[in-house]
Amino acid sequence: MNTVRPMEYDLLFDFLRVVEAAAIEAARTMGMGKRKYSDHVAVEKMREVMDTIPMDGTIVIGEGERDEAPMLYIGERVGMGAKDGNARSYPKVDIAVDPLEGTNLCATGSANAIAVLAAAERGGLLHAPDIYMNKIVVGPSVRGAVDIDAPVKENLNAIASRLRRKVEDLTIIVLDRPRHNQLIQDIRDAGARIRLISDGDLSAGISAAVAGSGVHALMGIGGGPEGVITAAAMKCLNGEIQARFVLKEQLEQAEDRAKIADGLVERMRKMGISDPTRVYHTNDLAPGEKIIFAACGVTDGTLLRGVRFFGTGKRTQSLVMTTETMHVRFVDSVHVEGGPDAFVRFDRM
Ligand code: VTB
């Protein structure tokens, strides 16, 4: 028996601390209506706690390029290795972060905002540019049954058959955007139910891979970086994501992301993506063998409760998992602060 403690085990708890801290910080700003500010505090906190981790970390998916993001930019070195100049004595880790997925959700106090990251050994996560990505995400029982290029109806039939139910009994999550008008129509025509969401296709994709969440698939176009982090989660949950970058949508519809359109193909090539039209499967997006995924609820959501503040502390709920041990942990943490008189209340999850 191998008694060596896997690297992931050592870092798991540290990454839990990172997402918890970012989520708490963001949750304080819930409902302020300041999307950018909510994101900013989550980023700052995530960065701060990251540097207390004994690792030689590199951000591979983050807040943008170095010149546009002061912190957690792509290529930034994080962890104790970056601080004490002794990088060689720490494990090398690539990290994809989304300190606040669903900035609007947090700003308006809506469901499903999370603080999330994925980590892997060097090279274990695709360096995806921040452009649109078409995705289909399903859970373990449906793995291998869908094809991103197949007609929507065919995929829905395949999902229904694997889940031993009628298409009418399926719920599909779709981002509520005009670009999805046709997709929504196709799902309706096939007879499945739809949950339209305003934001947050990463947490939605994870729900689709967890039985009992009431969601059976995620379909449609969201962010590429979110797709990579979703893939990391799928590896830990035995789910599946298929995806393809969407250059056309990018050029036609994007506002925030439009500025990236210039020289896009060239930029993708530099990131190692030579064929922008190819289909990426779970393992292409997250090829790592040692993957850690950690997410903490900011606002109440389908899978995770949001941060609760009370007189003597805070309570968070997180999901942490690794590929090496296949433990999927829902962690309910009470952050006690009130001194000797503080008490912890039993809370059935
Ligand atoms: C997508 C989706 C994210 O923002 O990036 C979306 O993947 C932005 O899409 O989960 P639009 O450009 O259409 O607004 C999220 O919903 C939240 O970050």
Side-chain angles (χ1 to χ4, degrees), residues 101-102 132 135 175 177 179 199-202 222-223 226 257:
E101 144 69 12
Y132 285 114
K135 318 169 192 179
L175 272 171
R177 297 291 188 278
R179 62 176 176 268
D199 270 300
D201 76 343
L202 200 173
E226 287 86 346
R257 286 177 168 142

Side-chain angles (χ1 to χ4, degrees), residues 65-94:
E65 313 281 324
R66 186 185 196 134
D67 48 5
E68 68 196 30
M71 252 177 267
L72 298 178
Y73 55 82
I74 298 160
E76 188 182 16
R77 301 287 286 275
V78 291
M80 282 163 64
K83 277 197 121 177
D84 65 15
N86 202 10
R88 283 169 62 191
S89 56
Y90 299 108
K92 293 192 187 315
V93 187
D94 279 359

